[in-house]
Amino acid sequence: GAGPAAATAEDDGPAPIIVTANKRGNETVQNTPSSIGVITAEQLASKNIVNFDDITRNVAGLNVINEGPGLNTIMIRGLVGAGESTVGLYYDNLPTSGSGESAALTSGRQTDLVVWDAARVEVLRGPQSTLYGSSALAGVVRIISNEADPSGFAGQADFSAATIKEGSPSWSVKGMVNLPLSEKAAIRVVGYQVHTGGFVDDVQHGDKNFNKADQTGLRVNTKFELGEATTLTSQLYVQRLESAGAGFSRPWASPIGLVTFPAVGELQTDAATKGVFNDTTVLAGATLEHDFGPAVLTLSQSYQHRKNLAVKDNSGMG
């Protein structure tokens, strides 16, 4: 009998992954002259990736010290230091920075927005300062959101809930609406409320499962096709993070220098002060692109404003 039909060119393997990390237009991962890891939109959805912990589990060479929402220290290939982070963190084309209140703590408080309705995550490993500046010594993480789409209306809602062993529940509500304004213009709006449950008891203040957090956010993307080769896009991120602080516990005695802190208990702490961390972030930008054929002209402007309240208890160290 006849053998199987030959596969067409369209059926040969998966579709190529397109990235924009090197700012040379759309390139495939194979043609990008850098060590790069990519998480596609399908992988983000199927693996329920919504925060940095989830991202690091899916990209080789990327790690994070996570003390709780908003308290991340991002590392690539183990390179980390005091002061501003050695990893550049971008949402779309918008650079971000740490909270800046201390040269020793900035890298541990990088902007922490919920990852949802994203097109992909690109992680460039190794120095990228030529394209991304002095805060990209170890590499760059770029979280690319889905653009507004003039081709049609779209909407999506997501509800989730989870339990934490020996802790309090977590839940989230997220929604997206894409509205065409014309055949060449559209607006895309995303809103969310994410509650992260706690699992450490503050015995000093009688607060059970104290290390919980809430993130409430809004994202607005617009797109205007000004001509066949000219496009204007904009992004606005707004997020309010309210956290009870890092969930440190002391199940055994902890010597630090000449001071020894006695054990408190499994998943328990007795810090004299509640270590709250609240952060309000506004991140906005606009990009104008014109394709000349052999070259693309890109004009981009961004703005970031952060307002932080951070309390840390160092009693007993002196």
Side-chain angles (χ1 to χ4, degrees):
T8 64
E10 290 79 11
D11 295 328
D12 277 346
I17 298 174
I18 303 299
V19 296
T20 56
N22 278 330
K23 301 185 180 180
R24 296 177 180 172
N26 294 333
E27 293 182 315
T28 64
V29 170
Q30 290 83 356
N31 292 334
T32 301
S34 300
S35 177
I36 184 171
V38 179
I39 307 176
T40 64
E42 292 76 13
Q43 292 169 328
L44 289 169
S46 65
K47 298 181 179 182
N48 193 30
I49 295 173
V50 295
N51 56 44
F52 277 111
D53 261 356
D54 301 328
I55 292 173
T56 59
R57 294 188 188 104
N58 291 274
V59 178
L62 176 67
N63 300 99
V64 62
I65 300 173
N66 183 0
E67 298 179 9
L71 299 172
N72 294 312
T73 300
I74 305 172
M75 299 177 291
I76 291 180
R77 295 173 173 171
L79 185 59
V80 65
E84 192 62 55
S85 175
T86 57
V87 177
L89 174 60
Y90 283 69
Y91 291 88
D92 294 311
N93 290 321
L94 314 179
T96 67
S97 66
S99 51
E101 80 282 6
S102 167
L105 295 176
T106 303
S107 64
R109 292 180 181 162
Q110 287 175 272
T111 308
D112 190 3
L113 305 180
V114 170
V115 179
W116 193 71
D117 188 49
R120 64 188 178 277
V121 176
E122 301 175 0
V123 179
L124 285 165
R125 294 175 286 253
Q128 306 295 329
S129 297
T130 301
L131 291 177
Y132 292 98
S134 59
S135 294
L137 177 64
V140 168
V141 177
R142 301 178 72 234
I143 299 172
I144 312 298
S145 64
N146 283 318
E147 289 187 344
D149 184 3
S151 66
F153 172 85
Q156 183 179 356
D158 181 275
F159 307 92
S160 67
T163 58
I164 300 175
K165 184 179 180 181
E166 301 183 26
S168 58
S170 297
W171 54 267
S172 69
V173 178
K174 311 183 192 81
M176 177 276 293
V177 175
N178 183 88
L179 295 172
L181 303 177
S182 70
E183 292 183 354
K184 296 183 179 297
I187 183 171
R188 191 181 192 96
V189 180
V190 171
Y192 56 82
Q193 170 78 47
V194 176
H195 175 77
T196 303
F199 52 86
V200 178
D201 297 339
D202 181 354
V203 299
Q204 179 75 17
H205 302 94
D207 190 356
K208 188 174 178 63
N209 303 321
F210 84 92
N211 61 317
K212 45 190 174 287
D214 287 281
Q215 291 165 280
T216 305
L218 172 73
R219 192 188 84 224
V220 180
N221 287 36
T222 65
K223 184 174 185 179
F224 299 91
E225 297 175 0
L226 305 180
E228 290 186 3
T230 307
T231 304
L232 175 65
T233 58
S234 72
Q235 300 86 26
L236 171 66
Y237 293 83
V238 181
Q239 179 179 278
R240 172 65 176 173
L241 166 64
E242 297 182 350
S243 168
F248 293 126
S249 63
R250 203 158 65 243
W252 50 78
S254 302
I256 302 178
L258 300 177
V259 179
T260 298
F261 294 91
V264 181
E266 188 74 24
L267 296 179
Q268 292 183 333
T269 183
D270 64 350
T273 303
K274 292 186 176 182
V276 299
F277 177 70
N278 297 334
D279 174 80
T280 300
T281 293
V282 177
L283 186 62
T287 301
L288 178 66
E289 288 189 340
H290 181 79
D291 190 349
F292 289 97
V296 176
L297 173 66
T298 301
L299 302 176
S300 182
Q301 180 66 45
S302 65
Y303 168 83
Q304 180 184 21
H305 175 79
R306 294 186 71 187
K307 184 177 180 180
N308 279 254
L309 169 64
V311 178
K312 193 152 186 159
D313 180 17
N314 291 320
S315 60
M317 294 293 291

